[in-house]
Structures are given as C-alpha cells and as structure tokens.
Amino acid sequence: MKVSDFYYDLPEELIAQEPLKDRHLSRLLVLDRETGNIEHRVFKDIIGYLNKGDCLVLNDTRVLPARLLGKKEGTGGKIEFVLLKKIEKDIWEVILKPGKRAKPKARFIFGDGELKAEILEIVEEGNRLVKFEYDGVFEEVLDRVGIVPLPPYITKKLDDSERYQTVYSKHKGSAAAPTAGLHFTKELLEEARNKGVEIAFVTLHVGLGTFRPVKAEDVKEHKMHSEYYWIDEKNCNRINKAKKDGKKVISVGTTSSRVLETVGDENGMVKPQRGWTDIFIYPGYNFKVVDALITNFHLPCSTLLMLVSALAGRENILKAYNEAVQERYRFFSFGDAMFIK
C-alpha cells in the first residue's frame, strides 16, 4: 500500500484560515461506510444521528501556549521554541527555529527573563531537550509568556485563542487541538445528554507529529509518533456499558480513536490505563471499540486520512473528499466536519 494512494487534489482556498462565528454551524458531511451514501448537513444535525444509550467519546486535552518567542543569552539572537512533550520535571523536547543557534549548553531567555532555558542535547529529527528555569508554577509562567501554536497551514492570526480549544478542554498538555471537537457547543452536548446519550472522556495530548508528513513510500514503513494518554474507570464503564447494550461507541476525532483502539481488547471492552501510544491505524486494521467517527477533513497522504480510510474504506473516503471539494467544504483544523456512521 503506497502513501500516494491517499492523495487527493485540494485547492488552497478551501483550507480554512479562521473558525466560524458559531461552532455548531459548520457543515457536516455524513458518510455511510457500508453503502458509501453521502448526505450534506449542518453540524448541529449530529444530534439526529445519536441514539439513547450510545456513547460519545471526547478528548478533553487542552492546548498549551506552547510557542515561545525569545532571544539567545549574550547575543540577543531571536529564537522560537515550540514545546513538543514533557520528558520529566522542567525538561521538555522542543522544536527550534532557527536550530543552528541551539547547541548544547546554549541558553535562551523568554518574557524579559521570567523564563529561561538551557539546551541539554540534540535528539531525533534535530529537536532539542531543554531544561527550563523559572520562579513559581511552570504552567502559570507559560500562560504569561507563551502563545497557543496554530498548525502550519493557518497563516491568519487568531483573535481569540479559546477558539482553538474545545469547550470541554480540561487537561493542559497538547501542542495542537483535537479539532473534531471544536464543533461542539455546551448546549449541543447538553442536548445529547437529554436524549440519553452517554458522554465519556479520554485524554490524549496531541503532538505536532500529527502534522508530520509521511516520508516512506510504503505505508507500513512509516514510524508513528507517540502521544501520552489516559482513561479512568468511570469513563471506561460508560464505554463498556454501551458495548454490552449493543449501542454505538462514537469517537470524536482521530485522537479519541487512537486511545480507544490502544486500550480496547478483542471484545471491544476497555480498561483504565495510561501511557504512550504510537498505534498506527491504516486500511486493513479491524476496529475493536470505535463504531462511528466524527472527524474533520485531513491533509492528503496523512496518517489521519489513513485512519479514516481504515474505518470507512479508502474508496469511500476519497469519493467523499472529492465531493466535499466540489461542494466547497472548508478543510483542516478550522474547517467543516464529517460523520462516518
């Protein structure tokens, strides 16, 4: 299976540069994965596809203000850090621009000295391990000096950083948002609850590896990035009840799907656990837990496009994507949504 098998032609003007004023008024393409039938709706219509006893699974991670603009100690040269993942207390793996200025023992200053960093070593793909120095609580310092990073294909400045957070975001740790959840409002979730839909939460801290292009021509040779996740007993019970009752587990986003398929057993039951997952889902994979998926439209040849193709079939997905292009849907993080049922 070749990476090029997952290519589709996307006009650049269809890449959404900003969110809609009303989250729930995004368009919704509904794809029946058994028949390939396509419907065109508005996202708030998702309620009509959810039934009493179904379980909607949301990723409640929150995006860190992970972009840091600073200068090199001594020379004043400008530097940009993007936090990738926490290794241990005060030690993080980061992406740097420009990287040449960041050799081991080099020091950098952010926010008028409120936050400092020293390069410890150069690691995979030219990233750096850095140790931060500060007074107080790191997350509070980061809130003051950091900026919420946006995906590389969004060039327009975001006026309200909360629009790149889901309304149910809770646990800080992501470098990117679980964007399928951006369409939900608190009112829409309450409407689902009133209909008898169970809502469960998982946490997966999204890394920038989600935007990393697949460089291997053979899909199977791609090495998936790892991301930290957890799921507790209360939420496992909600998911397992839906499975036992013959109801659907509806994953909101590819990140929730990766957690569910990591922790699920062969009978589709999940149990509480935490750790790192590098699960790579592409066509040929048999889903154990996920019955349906709410997702955004993904980049050509991406691992995310491969995941949705594994659920709905590559031909169905590419047909749906081509129709979405013809119908002028908005693509990627701030774009419209798809429901694979």
Side-chain angles (χ1 to χ4, degrees), residues 222-239:
H222 176 67
K223 186 179 185 301
M224 195 70 174
H225 60 285
S226 63
E227 294 167 319
Y228 191 73
Y229 74 89
W230 71 86
I231 180 171
D232 64 22
E233 185 174 7
K234 177 177 68 175
N235 287 296
C236 284
N237 290 341
R238 290 171 178 162
I239 295 163

Side-chain angles (χ1 to χ4, degrees), residues 1 3 43 76 82 157 176 194 199 233 309 314 319 334:
M1 191 183 307
V3 173
F43 190 79
V82 178
K157 188 176 182 294
N194 290 339
I199 295 178
E233 185 174 7
S309 296
R314 185 182 69 89
K319 176 190 168 190
F334 286 141

Side-chain angles (χ1 to χ4, degrees), residues 184-228:
F184 281 97
T185 62
K186 290 180 179 178
E187 292 77 15
L188 203 55
L189 290 171
E190 192 58 31
E191 196 176 337
R193 286 189 181 97
N194 290 339
K195 193 174 179 180
V197 176
E198 283 290 336
I199 295 178
F201 293 96
V202 299
T203 305
L204 180 137
H205 291 325
V206 187
L208 289 181
T210 193
F211 303 116
R212 187 179 297 157
V214 180
K215 294 177 181 177
E217 181 52 31
D218 186 335
V219 168
K220 295 176 184 177
E221 293 176 3
H222 176 67
K223 186 179 185 301
M224 195 70 174
H225 60 285
S226 63
E227 294 167 319
Y228 191 73

Side-chain angles (χ1 to χ4, degrees), residues 278-303:
D278 61 357
I279 189 171
F280 182 18
I281 298 174
Y282 54 87
Y285 179 86
N286 292 316
F287 283 81
K288 299 171 290 187
V289 184
V290 175
D291 298 305
L293 173 64
I294 297 168
T295 187
N296 278 20
F297 291 93
H298 305 295
L299 278 73
C301 301
S302 63
T303 59

Side-chain angles (χ1 to χ4, degrees), residues 12 15 18 23 47 58 128 141 210 233 258 336:
E12 191 173 341
I15 300 173
E18 57 188 344
R23 292 174 184 260
I47 295 297
L58 309 168
R128 268 56 166 187
V141 174
T210 193
E233 185 174 7
R258 293 183 72 221
D336 295 315

Side-chain angles (χ1 to χ4, degrees), residues 55-72:
C55 186
L56 198 62
V57 184
L58 309 168
N59 180 8
D60 63 5
T61 189
R62 187 168 174 81
V63 184
L64 284 168
R67 185 169 172 240
L68 296 166
L69 303 177
K71 58 188 178 181
K72 189 174 183 181

Side-chain angles (χ1 to χ4, degrees), residues 141-159:
V141 174
L142 204 58
D143 281 337
R144 291 193 291 271
V145 304
I147 304 165
V148 169
L150 291 176
Y153 46 74
I154 294 176
T155 57
K156 191 168 181 177
K157 188 176 182 294
L158 185 61
D159 293 330

